[in-house]
Amino acid sequence: MENISRRNLLKTFGLTAGGLSFFYIDALAEDINDQEIEIHYDDRYVSLEKPVTAIVLGAGNRGNVYGRFALAFPNELDMVGVAEPIEFRNEKFTKAHNIEEKNRFKTWEDVFKVPKFADAIIISTPDRLHYGPAMKALAMGYHVLLEKPISPSMQECLEILAMAKKTKSIIAVCHVLRYTPYFRKLKEITDSGKFGKLISVNHLEGVEYAHMAHSYVRGNWHVEKDTNPIILAKSCHDLDILRWIIGKPCKSISAHGSLTWFKRENAPEGSTDRCTDGCKVEAECPFSAIRIYQKEKQRINVLDVTDDKSKQDAEIYEKLKTSQYGRCVYRMDNDQPDHYTTSMEFEGGTTVSFAMEAFTSFEHRKTRLMFSHGEVWGDMNQIQTYDFRTKETTSWKANEQPEYKNQASGHGGGDYGLARNFVQAVAQNKPELLTSTIEASIESHVMGFMSEKSRLGKKMVEVRI
């Protein structure tokens, strides 16, 4: 019998030290020259005579994403107003965009007390504050760029859709993954039919352990009733992209998941209520607030500290002594699951296994598409295909669009791709230019609501759109 090395054996069975089959991308990347993904620009896009003007409601992380797009491409988007109750953020955004004093507001309600003064409203308020400003903006004739999720209420989602149709305003939902070269290529391969019928999909969202601790244990999304269930708050991107790639509606869904680790009974001996309270295990804790925010400077924008690096450490430490971001992850009042798995069946028989996992070292997606005549896998950095008939392997770099290189676009260039798509739709008054429409987004939201119903009821649930 031919001798088989351990490495080749792992390849044969689709395994690596990392575990399951669709994570062995690196093992199969040897001696393959990656091609660049060819970016096909929408030939319906035009040069603008003047930028689209917008008002940002909520100058936090997401509001500043679109703010940075405006600064990078001032001929396309101009921020002319802001509503933000936190003075530090309001002032910083105002200065960055030279906003007139009369167009600065404390709350989103204040914006609508004055006559319409921009083309569009960008809604990046907390999840449960999407419905009110969306309905008011549409009623006043603004076009709307709405952060996901649309709303934690299915009824509110449908009412926003109805209002958009009534007013004929353009409304886009920020499902930014549709605009990345990685997912665009997966969609292109699927639609081409090159590998036959799509039989099944494995998709993994690695949240990354520090990101989980930041957003869903300590952060704004740590309590489901105050925001959204994590399947919507974090993974509606993935539900949307799966529906988009498959191109057919989901018929049924079964979900499992729970909060397993970030609980009081798992708190190490010697830990304290805050990482700054003399915790005896802080130095070795991977979720230490001191490690994440002060030492590694991750996600410190939420702390509203100075940009002066000589003063940052002291300011961060003081914020950790008083804010929720300095609290022990084992002593929070959080209730969001830290692992979540769904099984779905789509029209036509395609099945999907999707997992959202907190305990990963990476913060991106991994995807495996299994067709009748071939296989496709990727990790947002690389895509590879294998043709069963020719035994040929092809590989691409999942690079960002060239114009977004060295820019601050997140999600592999998807943030800026979405912003440009919305700007073009508004400037030309052509809603058909949109990729991430509210109609499509509501379908993935229904999948999320039904997934949570399945998880809590411990049963399979039909999905009816």
Side-chain angles (χ1 to χ4, degrees):
M1 179 178 177
E2 179 184 357
N3 289 328
I4 301 177
S5 70
R6 179 178 182 274
R7 183 173 181 79
N8 287 331
L9 185 66
L10 292 175
K11 288 184 187 181
T12 301
F13 288 98
L15 299 170
T16 64
L20 298 178
S21 62
F22 64 102
F23 304 145
Y24 71 100
I25 297 161
D26 290 336
L28 294 185
E30 296 176 351
D31 303 321
I32 294 176
N33 294 320
D34 291 342
Q35 305 174 55
E36 296 283 347
I37 292 177
E38 185 178 350
I39 304 298
H40 299 286
Y41 295 100
D42 195 321
D43 58 12
R44 298 173 298 173
Y45 285 9
V46 299
S47 297
L48 305 185
E49 294 183 2
K50 60 179 182 178
V52 167
T53 55
I55 306 160
V56 168
L57 311 186
N61 179 45
R62 296 307 298 171
N64 275 284
V65 164
Y66 307 113
R68 288 192 293 272
F69 176 85
L71 294 175
F73 303 99
N75 61 318
E76 297 183 50
L77 183 62
D78 182 19
M79 300 301 190
V80 297
V82 61
E84 170 56 59
I86 298 175
E87 181 60 25
F88 179 92
R89 299 179 185 181
N90 193 308
E91 180 72 21
K92 189 173 183 178
F93 196 90
T94 296
K95 286 183 178 179
H97 298 278
N98 296 313
I99 294 173
E100 295 182 54
E101 190 64 30
K102 66 178 183 178
N103 293 339
R104 290 179 62 186
F105 305 93
K106 187 172 183 180
T107 70
W108 68 264
E109 291 94 342
D110 295 334
V111 172
F112 302 113
K113 293 175 183 177
V114 301
K116 181 174 179 284
F117 66 95
D119 299 314
I121 295 285
I122 297 175
I123 300 175
S124 48
T125 50
D127 293 359
R128 289 188 175 269
L129 293 179
H130 286 182
Y131 174 78
M135 293 294 282
K136 192 65 177 178
L138 292 168
M140 288 186 66
Y142 286 102
H143 301 297
V144 175
L145 182 62
L146 178 60
E147 261 302 331
K148 61 82 190 170
I150 300 168
S151 166
S153 159
M154 192 65 239
Q155 183 59 39
E156 289 183 355
C157 289
L158 294 173
E159 288 178 13
I160 293 172
L161 173 60
M163 179 62 82
K165 289 182 175 180
K166 177 181 177 181
T167 61
K168 301 188 184 321
S169 291
I170 291 169
I171 180 168
V173 180
C174 299
H175 280 142
V176 295
L177 296 185
R178 288 176 178 237
Y179 301 88
T180 64
Y182 174 74
F183 284 111
R184 286 168 63 184
K185 189 65 179 179
L186 293 183
K187 172 70 170 169
E188 178 188 310
I189 293 169
T190 302
D191 288 350
S192 73
K194 178 179 180 180
F195 298 110
K197 178 179 174 58
L198 179 60
I199 306 298
S200 60
V201 180
N202 287 340
H203 183 68
L204 169 69
E205 178 187 15
V207 179
E208 195 262 347
Y209 65 97
H211 184 186
M212 182 72 192
H214 169 76
S215 294
Y216 304 98
V217 180
R218 293 182 172 114
N220 293 335
W221 294 272
H222 71 286
V223 177
E224 180 271 332
K225 69 179 179 61
D226 294 336
T227 54
N228 270 290
I230 198 166
I231 189 68
L232 277 173
K234 187 71 180 79
S235 300
C236 68
H237 278 315
D238 301 274
L239 298 178
D240 175 74
I241 212 71
L242 288 165
R243 168 64 179 88
W244 183 59
I245 289 173
I246 294 168
K248 294 179 180 178
C250 180
K251 293 173 56 180
S252 62
I253 194 163
S254 179
H256 303 273
S258 62
L259 173 60
T260 300
W261 184 245
F262 297 108
K263 301 191 291 188
R264 286 184 178 270
E265 56 262 39
N266 293 324
E269 186 177 349
S271 60
T272 53
D273 286 344
R274 287 186 175 274
C275 299
T276 54
D277 288 348
C279 174
K280 294 181 179 179
V281 295
E282 180 275 320
E284 62 193 59
C285 177
F287 312 107
S288 159
I290 294 173
R291 177 204 296 253
I292 293 171
Y293 302 109
Q294 188 186 51
K295 294 180 180 178
E296 298 178 356
K297 302 294 189 297
Q298 294 187 47
R299 299 179 174 86
I300 60 173
N301 59 297
V302 300
L303 300 177
D304 297 327
V305 295
T306 179
D307 293 329
D308 184 343
K309 296 189 183 303
S310 68
K311 299 178 181 178
Q312 273 187 355
D313 280 1
E315 286 196 20
I316 290 171
Y317 195 82
E318 286 303 311
K319 290 292 179 75
L320 297 183
K321 289 166 65 175
T322 58
S323 75
Q324 65 196 41
Y325 295 101
R327 293 177 61 188
C328 175
V329 292
Y330 300 103
R331 291 176 166 82
M332 293 293 298
D333 55 348
N334 56 303
D335 62 5
Q336 297 277 25
D338 48 29
H339 57 121
Y340 201 117
T341 302
T342 64
S343 296
M344 293 170 267
E345 182 178 14
F346 284 72
E347 188 177 287
T350 301
T351 55
V352 173
S353 175
F354 165 58
M356 181 221 75
E357 299 291 347
F359 302 100
T360 61
S361 59
F362 57 89
E363 187 182 352
H364 57 255
R365 276 85 177 174
K366 298 190 178 188
T367 319
R368 180 170 289 255
L369 307 174
M370 283 139 301
F371 297 86
S372 59
H373 290 72
E375 189 176 14
V376 180
W377 58 98
D379 66 351
M380 294 193 76
N381 295 310
Q382 184 187 56
I383 295 172
Q384 289 190 36
T385 66
Y386 181 81
D387 192 313
F388 299 158
R389 296 157 294 192
T390 65
K391 300 187 184 299
E392 180 185 12
T393 298
T394 307
S395 182
W396 292 268
K397 296 176 184 176
N399 55 299
E400 292 186 7
Q401 291 93 324
E403 72 270 36
Y404 303 150
K405 293 276 187 182
N406 303 317
Q407 299 286 353
S409 177
H411 294 98
D415 287 345
Y416 283 10
L418 164 75
R420 176 160 287 150
N421 186 234
F422 176 71
V423 163
Q424 285 287 329
V426 170
Q428 298 187 53
N429 196 28
K430 291 182 177 179
E432 63 270 21
L433 292 179
L434 291 177
T435 298
S436 183
T437 64
I438 189 168
E439 290 90 347
S441 297
I442 281 179
E443 190 164 345
S444 61
H445 279 53
V446 172
M447 292 164 62
F449 289 128
M450 293 303 100
S451 178
E452 192 66 355
K453 182 178 180 180
S454 169
R455 183 181 74 88
L456 296 174
K458 301 186 183 301
K459 61 182 180 180
M460 186 187 76
V461 174
E462 291 186 6
V463 179
R464 294 181 179 147
I465 308 298

